[in-house]
Amino acid sequence: MTKLESVYKLWPELEWIQNADLKDKTAHTWALALEKSVLTPEDLVRIPFTLLCGPDLKVSFMAHKRCVVHIAKEAALKMNNFFENELPVNMDVLFAGAILADVGKLLEYELKDGKTVQGTYGKYIRHPFSGVALAEQCGIPPEVCHIIAAHAGEGDMIKRSVEAYIVHYADFMTFEPFRERLKP
Ligand SMILES: [Fe+2]
């Protein structure tokens, strides 16, 4: 199976992107990341989605990333439905940005004794930056690169687009309760 074929297997949500060119460039960005990464497609369905929630976290990288894309889609559909033209959400831009938000994470990892750890590159260049670098190499347009750049804490420093806000909150609402939450 080629890298591109494994990307389409990992990400059935690519089919939601209507613009064929954007879909193709989004898939190619993931294929490029896999080429440069120590991680394989099999690792992505096995390793925990973050290194910040301790060693017992069982939710996989792909389970979390795909959940964020699904939440972003449902949130955007509701917003387009209730707010109509007052706050239009571009669904293709949203889908591509949500799928690519963490693509740079593939460059953050190193394998040490079979375990995933943050590598030196990842310490210096966090994934919002490496993600934009990968996406630009594949011709991803700026409104989508913006979502990658602004999805995490770094994005608090700049003005986010509506699509970037949605991806940011979809990502954080499914991350922060894993890190810390009130328990009964
Ligand atoms: Fe992220």
Side-chain angles (χ1 to χ4, degrees), residues 15-64:
E15 298 302 335
W16 296 350
I17 303 174
Q18 299 287 304
N19 181 307
D21 183 54
L22 182 59
K23 177 167 79 173
D24 186 55
K25 287 172 174 169
T26 303
H28 273 93
T29 307
W30 266 92
L32 176 63
L34 278 170
E35 256 166 50
K36 289 172 173 273
S37 182
V38 296
L39 301 175
T40 63
E42 294 74 39
D43 290 327
L44 297 181
V45 294
R46 179 183 59 83
I47 63 166
F49 77 90
T50 176
L51 302 170
L52 303 174
C53 295
D56 298 328
L57 183 71
K58 290 181 188 67
V59 179
S60 75
F61 187 94
M62 282 314 297
H64 183 262

Side-chain angles (χ1 to χ4, degrees), residues 51 107-110 117-124:
L51 302 170
L107 309 189
E108 282 192 354
Y109 289 94
E110 280 178 11
V117 295
Q118 192 184 35
T120 307
Y121 179 85
K123 282 183 188 156
Y124 282 102

